[in-house]
């Protein structure tokens, strides 16, 4: 029988043992301290999670095309305010058909059902050799229990025919085309509120000019069931996104969490919604007006989870420069930013991101 899951436990056995040993030692210390000081309180990650009052905004986008002028403006304000306050929001009536979403998930499941050996050696998709990723490149204090195909959309158009899975290619192209239109619309609305880009034509033009179809990415994610209970093991470890905008479609398993007011808030699955979040580039470009928020995916012991993420990215040569004055971030190229992120992940196991580019 072919093995589908990556060899997490076999490859990182010592790492997981160290995690569990440290956590056991911490529990012993806590119990001893509690006996000595009865009023000592320890808040764990579960207690730091927000309650039912912390619900991610849900925005009905049908008002942008079907509503009155007042309704359109109200919808735009909701998008802007959610991006300022949360850095995340959900959208319904977004124009992406259920059929398209169902097709991309079905193709994704078939792709991940192939053996690990075939996926790791590029024998199932004909994507570039580094598109398949699993685990954490240089795990230290945290680990991601997941596998993914990170796909430059330029690669899809170049690899038609031959040994390439044509059904998968066509499905990805169809999904990316419709989602990219939504991403451009949302980015244009957000840009209207940024100083220096007062008119929608000028604002939307920036993204239409710099974020082309071939510069964006698609990521197919699978989170296998995880038997290890550890505060150090996640489906996807805490991070921010290195793009302008991310549009996510997730299944109904759940597990996505984001930071709001210093607490982790769970994003409850909504079968009719897409999730949109601000990336590092938008935070820098808007001079901190919009927030690129840390988020993570929790593990599940029994059920696998799937999601598809579209990343609105510029060309590598595009220079990101803060619009406001004084600028909070130094200007940098997307190539420079991505290379630094990749170096950080390889060396220390996680990205540092925008803090490196703060203006002192």
């Amino acid at each position: 029988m072919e093995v589908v899951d990556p060899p997490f436990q076999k490859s990182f056995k010592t790492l997981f043992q160290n995690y569990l040993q440290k956590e056991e030692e911490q529990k012993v210390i806590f119990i001893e301290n509690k006996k000595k000081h009865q009023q000592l309180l320890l808040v764990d990650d579960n207690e730091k999670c927000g309650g039912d009052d912390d619900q991610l905004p849900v925005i009905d986008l049908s008002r942008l095309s079907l509503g009155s002028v007042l309704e359109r403006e109200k919808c735009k304000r909701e998008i802007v305010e959610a991006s300022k306050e949360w850095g995340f929001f959900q959208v319904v009536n977004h124009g992406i058909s259920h059929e398209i979403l169902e097709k991309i998930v079905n193709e994704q499941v078939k792709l991940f059902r192939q053996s690990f050996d075939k996926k790791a050696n590029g024998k199932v998709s004909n994507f570039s050799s580094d598109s398949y990723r699993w685990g954490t490149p240089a795990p230290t204090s945290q680990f991601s229990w997941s596998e993914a195909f990170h796909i430059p959309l330029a690669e899809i158009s170049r690899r038609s025919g031959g040994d390439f899975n044509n059904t998968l290619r066509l499905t990805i192209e169809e999904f990316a085309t419709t989602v990219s239109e939504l991403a451009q619309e949302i980015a244009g609305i957000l840009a209207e509120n940024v100083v220096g880009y007062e008119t929608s034509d000028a604002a939307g033009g920036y993204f239409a000019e710099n974020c082309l179809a071939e510069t964006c990415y698609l990521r197919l994610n699978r989170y296998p069931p995880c038997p290890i209970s550890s505060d150090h093991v996640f489906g996807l470890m805490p991070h921010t996104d290195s793009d302008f905008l991310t549009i996510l479609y997730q299944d109904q398993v759940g597990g996505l969490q984001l930071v709001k007011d210093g607490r982790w808030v769970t994003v409850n699955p909504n079968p009719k919604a897409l999730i949109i979040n601000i990336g590092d580039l938008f935070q820098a470009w808007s001079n901190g007006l919009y927030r690129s928020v840390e988020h993570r995916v929790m593990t599940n012991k029994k059920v696998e989870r799937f999601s598809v993420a579209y990343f609105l990215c510029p060309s590598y040569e595009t220079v990101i420069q803060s619009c406001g004055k004084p600028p909070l971030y130094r200007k940098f190229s997307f190539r420079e930013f991505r290379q630094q992120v990749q170096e950080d992940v390889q060396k220390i196991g996680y990205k540092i991101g925008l803090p490196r580019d703060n203006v002192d």
Side-chain angles (χ1 to χ4, degrees):
M1 182 177 178
E2 292 185 324
V3 177
V4 172
D5 292 350
F8 298 112
Q9 289 179 282
K10 181 179 179 180
S11 299
F12 298 98
K13 181 179 179 181
T14 302
L15 179 73
F16 297 144
Q17 288 175 341
N18 291 339
Y19 286 165
L20 296 175
Q21 182 179 344
K22 289 180 181 178
E23 289 170 20
E24 190 62 34
E25 291 172 353
Q26 289 172 349
K27 288 179 182 178
V28 171
I29 293 172
F30 169 67
I31 292 172
E32 291 176 350
N33 286 336
K34 191 173 182 181
K35 289 178 181 178
K36 296 177 182 178
H37 310 283
Q38 288 298 318
Q39 294 183 348
L40 178 67
L41 295 177
L42 178 67
V43 181
D44 63 20
D45 268 351
N46 291 327
E47 292 171 320
K48 287 181 183 176
C49 288
D52 293 336
D53 292 337
D54 293 312
Q55 293 296 318
L56 192 64
V58 180
I59 301 174
D60 183 352
L61 295 187
S62 65
R63 293 172 293 168
L64 293 176
S65 56
L66 302 177
S68 64
V69 173
L70 289 177
E71 288 174 326
R72 287 198 296 273
E73 291 306 311
K74 184 175 186 294
C75 184
K76 289 182 179 181
R77 286 197 302 273
E78 290 175 7
I79 292 171
V80 168
E81 290 306 312
S83 299
K84 290 180 180 179
E85 182 181 352
W86 286 79
F88 266 79
F89 55 95
Q90 299 182 84
V91 294
V92 295
N93 295 318
H94 40 66
I96 315 300
S97 71
H98 177 72
E99 288 73 22
I100 291 177
L101 296 175
E102 201 170 50
K103 283 169 65 177
I104 191 72
V105 170
N106 288 340
E107 287 301 315
Q108 175 184 19
V109 171
K110 286 193 290 185
L111 183 63
F112 281 113
R113 286 286 179 268
Q114 301 296 316
S115 72
F116 170 73
D117 179 66
K118 290 180 179 178
K119 289 181 288 191
N121 290 288
K123 298 178 180 178
V124 297
S125 61
N126 205 25
F127 296 136
S128 59
S129 58
D130 62 346
S131 65
Y132 178 71
R133 305 169 184 184
W134 65 278
T136 303
T140 52
S141 60
Q142 296 177 330
F143 186 86
S144 292
W145 193 280
S146 55
E147 59 177 337
F149 284 93
H150 190 78
I151 308 164
L153 292 177
E155 187 174 291
I156 297 298
S157 58
R158 291 198 303 264
R159 291 178 178 268
S160 59
D163 295 331
F164 195 88
N165 183 330
N166 204 45
T167 303
L168 176 62
R169 179 183 66 83
L170 292 174
T171 302
I172 289 176
E173 285 184 336
E174 183 180 25
F175 176 82
T177 299
T178 54
V179 174
S180 67
E181 293 173 358
L182 174 61
Q184 289 282 346
E185 182 176 25
I186 297 296
I189 290 171
L190 291 172
E192 290 176 28
N193 204 53
V194 174
V195 174
Y197 287 86
E198 291 85 358
T199 66
S200 59
D201 287 340
Y206 175 86
F207 295 97
E209 180 180 344
N210 291 288
C211 300
L212 308 177
E214 59 267 25
T215 65
C216 298
Y217 293 80
L218 198 70
R219 186 178 174 101
L220 308 177
N221 300 302
R222 175 179 175 257
Y223 304 90
C226 176
I228 296 176
S229 296
S230 169
D231 294 338
H232 299 272
V233 180
F234 301 88
L236 193 60
M237 53 196 273
H239 67 286
T240 57
D241 289 348
S242 304
D243 62 351
F244 275 109
L245 282 178
T246 304
I247 299 182
L248 179 79
Y249 179 63
Q250 64 170 345
D251 62 19
Q252 299 307 294
V253 173
L256 176 63
Q257 295 182 339
L258 60 95
V259 173
K260 175 71 163 62
D261 298 329
R263 299 188 300 171
W264 287 104
V265 176
T266 297
V267 179
N268 296 320
N270 181 339
K272 297 181 179 180
L274 297 175
I275 298 169
I276 299 179
N277 66 278
I278 302 297
D280 297 338
L281 302 187
F282 225 135
Q283 178 171 318
W285 186 77
S286 69
N287 208 34
L289 179 66
Y290 303 125
R291 300 176 58 203
S292 180
V293 172
E294 193 173 40
H295 50 286
R296 67 187 184 185
V297 176
M298 305 304 287
T299 58
N300 190 302
K301 285 187 176 182
K302 297 181 179 180
V303 185
E304 64 182 347
R305 177 182 182 269
F306 292 93
S307 68
V308 184
Y310 173 89
F311 300 98
L312 182 68
C313 297
S315 67
Y316 281 140
E317 289 69 34
T318 299
V319 174
I320 310 301
Q321 186 169 2
S322 296
C323 294
K325 294 182 179 180
L328 299 179
Y329 306 96
R330 68 174 184 85
K331 64 180 181 180
F332 54 86
S333 71
F334 183 46
R335 182 186 303 277
E336 178 186 1
F337 187 76
R338 274 187 62 89
Q339 286 177 342
Q340 185 62 65
V341 168
Q342 291 169 353
E343 287 178 16
D344 287 342
V345 171
Q346 291 294 333
K347 290 180 180 178
I348 61 178
Y350 59 90
K351 68 177 277 190
I352 295 175
L354 278 183
R356 283 190 180 277
D357 298 293
N358 288 337
V359 174
D360 295 332

